[in-house]
Amino acid sequence: MTQAIKAVLWDMDGTLADSEALHLSTLVAVLTHHGIEAGDDLHASIFGKTGREVHAYCCERFGIDFDYGQWSMARARHYLSEAPKMQARSGALSVYHAVRAAGTRQAIVSNSSRMLLEAGLRALDLQDPQLISISVNDVRAGKPDPEPYQRAAWLLRVTPEETIVVEDSPTGARAAIAAGMRVLAWPERESAAGTFPEGARFVRSEHELAEALGVQLTPRVRER
């Protein structure tokens, strides 16, 4: 018998926030500064990876040896300068607020650093003293390791069986499944469906997502 949902765990980038293009632009800016032209396949190659993993990938791919501290600071400066313009993913906040109105506990679980995650929360007006959020700084290993989702569930005082995760990336979906949680996969592009792990349930709109979470969308719940 499937247990009732007591908590919804949200990925941030690409799921709640339409921020993947911003993350990519920070990387392209750093590479361009060093005279490197990124290919069209760069986004697919780094999708879902942590900042440190992206750094290691670029050093290997482009044969460079950037200091990680300087690299991450350069990317962070660009990101923070652009973050106030960030928009929510279409329909995402309608579902988020509907879940909140239903009284279900929620947390946000990101592979971004605490600084970048907080910038995104500010931009989407999601900062709340009671909100539990997990950044890559809060765990020993980021997604696809299950630790970020396990930590969120522990802080919310729920079991994995009582938890459902909303993810747009295969990396995050693997982390949630490894944590023993149900997963709603909501990729931006339907073509990505074949890359998700077995067991993820696909939704294709905010209406399907709301139905899967057992909440009702109302006209009063508006996007930022």
Side-chain angles (χ1 to χ4, degrees):
M1 179 178 177
T2 303
Q3 287 191 258
I5 299 170
K6 290 188 178 180
V8 179
L9 307 184
W10 297 85
D11 171 57
M12 183 64 171
D13 294 305
T15 301
L16 284 173
D18 186 12
S19 54
E20 292 293 348
L22 176 53
H23 278 285
L24 180 62
S25 73
T26 68
L27 178 58
V28 171
V30 171
L31 292 173
T32 300
H33 177 74
H34 289 277
I36 297 169
E37 184 175 345
D40 294 336
D41 64 331
L42 184 62
H43 180 258
S45 302
I46 66 169
F47 186 46
K49 288 182 167 61
T50 65
R52 193 169 288 277
E53 288 170 338
V54 171
H55 171 259
Y57 171 81
C58 288
C59 285
E60 181 178 354
R61 172 171 172 172
F62 299 112
I64 53 181
D65 186 22
F66 292 153
D67 174 76
Y68 177 70
Q70 294 179 357
W71 162 280
S72 59
M73 283 302 298
R75 290 193 66 190
R77 281 193 292 270
H78 182 86
Y79 188 96
L80 294 175
S81 70
E82 298 295 323
K85 305 173 190 174
M86 187 186 300
Q87 298 292 313
R89 181 176 177 178
S90 179
L93 293 190
S94 295
V95 183
Y96 179 90
H97 290 304
V99 172
R100 181 176 179 175
T104 303
R105 282 168 277 182
Q106 299 187 102
I108 295 176
V109 182
S110 175
N111 249 6
S112 290
S113 70
R114 171 57 57 186
M115 183 168 62
L116 302 192
L117 174 57
E118 291 295 337
L121 294 176
R122 281 195 299 274
L124 301 188
D125 197 23
L126 290 178
Q127 286 188 308
D128 180 338
Q130 299 184 57
L131 174 66
I132 288 174
S133 62
I134 305 296
S135 74
V136 76
N137 298 108
D138 304 315
V139 293
R140 293 167 298 178
K143 308 172 193 178
D145 193 277
E147 184 184 359
Y149 281 118
Q150 290 169 335
R151 180 163 179 76
W154 182 80
L155 290 171
L156 289 170
R157 295 182 173 86
V158 294
T159 66
E161 295 77 19
E162 296 169 331
T163 306
I164 193 162
V165 171
V166 186
E167 270 283 358
D168 75 309
S169 79
T171 299
R174 285 195 291 273
I177 288 175
M181 299 172 181
R182 287 168 280 179
V183 177
L184 295 176
W186 190 24
E188 185 179 359
R189 301 175 186 81
E190 288 198 23
S191 59
T195 63
F196 278 76
E198 186 177 351
R201 174 184 171 186
F202 285 89
V203 293
R204 290 169 176 80
S205 69
E206 68 268 29
H207 302 288
E208 287 188 16
L209 178 59
E211 182 180 2
L213 294 173
V215 296
Q216 298 254 340
L217 298 181
T218 69
R220 290 177 298 173
V221 179
R222 305 189 322 179
E223 294 292 320
R224 175 177 167 82

